[in-house]
Amino acid sequence: MRMKYEEPIEIAENTYWVGHYDEEAGFHCNPYLIDDGEEAVLIDPGGITHYPHVLKKVIRAVDLDRIHHIILHHQDPDLCASTPRYEELINHEVTVYNPLRASFFIPYYGIKSRVVPIRRDGEALVLKSGRRLEFYLTPFVHFAGSMVTYDTRSKVLFSSDIFGAFSFDWSLYARDDYLEAVKAFLEPYVGSKKALENVARKLEQLDIEVIAPQHGSIITDNIPEFIQALREMDAGVYLE
Amino acid sequence: MVTYLDLINAMVRRETAILGREKVGKIVAKAGLSIGEDGKVAVPKGMEKQKLEELARSFYEECGDITLIGCRILVNRLAREGNLKLPDILKF
Ligand SMILES: [Fe+2]
Ligand SMILES: [Fe+2]
């Protein structure tokens, strides 16, 4: 049965996929929203082209003024570019969380909010409810300043481009051959095996129930196998 | 020993993950080939190298650069293992 992609879709408790499904596209972006009651967190809101669709879903899920935090996992336009539009609509200051080495670039989108640069693994955004969103740096996968977010309450890993995929035949949840699609996307974009091994080592320490990537499909099964695959992927082939 | 047929099957498997079964089935059929129950492509003997190039070209023509970016690394690695020469479209 096809899911109702026109609506926000709850992927874990009070955690929503708010992306846009373009049936013609071979590449899809996945913004997410955590509604934690008093505060909501927007994760990788996306580019300009999908913005009207994403905004509609965000508004359906929460009152915009409950959004106090925006997480940007690196500096790419497909996740950052619409941030200033949200800043204009939200009637109070928001805080942006971004890896230190990406944080010098994101003001060029016109982002005016206070930016908290993430410098070390385990730094966290602790919400008023006590919910802890931990950040883990993933240098050079794919940008020098890249990170992922682990929600310690829902055990969802927001993995950014890691575990993303090219997908013409897209579905929100991963199908059996999804790992093959992940390799197709990740191998051409990562420059070093060492960088991938570093990510695998960090993720192996976390108790992950759901992987929610910024492209492709959500993973709920065989998570250790996906993490192990990072160690086995080719990287830096374009340098040979 | 890796053969051209292995390269075709690896590419078709990879493209199926990206494009979906239906689209890949159509592209493979257009090249005059079919995918068996086991997911493997049957290719007439001696035609493997030519069909590899035809298929790569069809994937590109139907769905663009993503298809080639998504499979080049895999196909090049296998070709190296089998000491096989690749058509230009699959080279970096
Ligand atoms: Fe990126
Ligand atoms: Fe991305």
Side-chain angles (χ1 to χ4, degrees), chain A residues 51 64 82-92 110 112:
Chain A
Y51 165 71
L64 278 185
S82 67
T83 306
R85 309 269 175 118
Y86 288 95
E87 288 176 333
E88 280 168 20
L89 294 176
I90 298 169
N91 291 312
H92 56 76
K112 294 189 179 71

Side-chain angles (χ1 to χ4, degrees), chain A residues 27 29 74 76 78-79 142 160-161 185 214-215:
Chain A
F27 194 44
C29 296
H74 53 290
D76 271 348
D78 59 322
L79 58 109
H142 62 90
S160 182
D161 285 335
F185 175 60
Q214 195 240 335
H215 304 286

Side-chain angles (χ1 to χ4, degrees), chain A residues 204-224:
Chain A
E204 278 159 0
Q205 311 300 315
L206 303 174
D207 178 17
I208 301 166
E209 286 183 3
V210 176
I211 295 176
Q214 195 240 335
H215 304 286
S217 305
I218 293 170
I219 303 162
T220 53
D221 295 326
N222 305 322
I223 286 172

Side-chain angles (χ1 to χ4, degrees), chain A residues 163 179 182-183 186-187 192-201 204 224-235 237, chain B residues 14 73-74 77 81:
Chain A
F163 305 118
L179 181 54
V182 169
K183 288 179 189 168
L186 225 46
E187 289 184 333
S192 124
K193 266 186 90 66
K194 199 171 167 185
L196 282 172
E197 281 162 10
N198 178 53
V199 175
R201 186 176 50 76
E204 278 159 0
E225 191 190 313
F226 277 87
I227 295 173
Q228 175 60 24
L230 294 176
R231 295 184 182 279
E232 290 153 17
M233 282 182 203
D234 278 326
V237 176
Chain B
R14 175 63 55 97
I73 290 175
L74 168 69
R77 190 202 319 130
E81 281 171 36

Side-chain angles (χ1 to χ4, degrees), chain B residues 38-55:
Chain B
D38 57 356
K40 298 252 160 77
V41 185
V43 182
K45 266 224 152 349
M47 300 281 284
E48 293 90 344
K49 191 176 175 188
Q50 182 193 325
K51 289 293 174 189
L52 176 70
E53 180 167 3
E54 268 180 51
L55 271 176

Side-chain angles (χ1 to χ4, degrees), chain A residues 26-27 166-169 175 177 180-181 183-185 187-189 232 234 237-238 240, chain B residues 10 13-14 16-21 23 63 66-67 69-70 72-74 77 80 92:
Chain A
F27 194 44
F166 292 129
S167 45
F168 281 81
D169 189 25
R175 288 193 282 262
D177 59 355
E180 197 67 23
K183 288 179 189 168
F185 175 60
E187 289 184 333
Y189 282 94
E232 290 153 17
D234 278 326
V237 176
Y238 283 77
E240 286 169 10
Chain B
R13 190 164 165 248
R14 175 63 55 97
T16 303
I18 302 171
L19 305 177
R21 226 168 276 257
K23 255 197 178 94
C63 296
I66 281 179
T67 59
I69 289 173
R72 256 194 205 108
I73 290 175
L74 168 69
R77 190 202 319 130
R80 242 189 341 259
F92 284 104

Side-chain angles (χ1 to χ4, degrees), chain A residues 134-175:
Chain A
E134 291 179 350
F135 304 117
Y136 292 88
L137 297 167
T138 60
F140 303 104
V141 183
H142 62 90
F143 184 62
S146 297
M147 67 178 189
V148 296
T149 301
Y150 176 64
D151 181 346
T152 55
R153 184 164 300 167
S154 64
K155 298 187 175 169
V156 175
L157 177 80
F158 299 95
S159 65
S160 182
D161 285 335
I162 303 165
F163 305 118
F166 292 129
S167 45
F168 281 81
D169 189 25
W170 181 82
S171 60
L172 183 59
Y173 284 92
R175 288 193 282 262

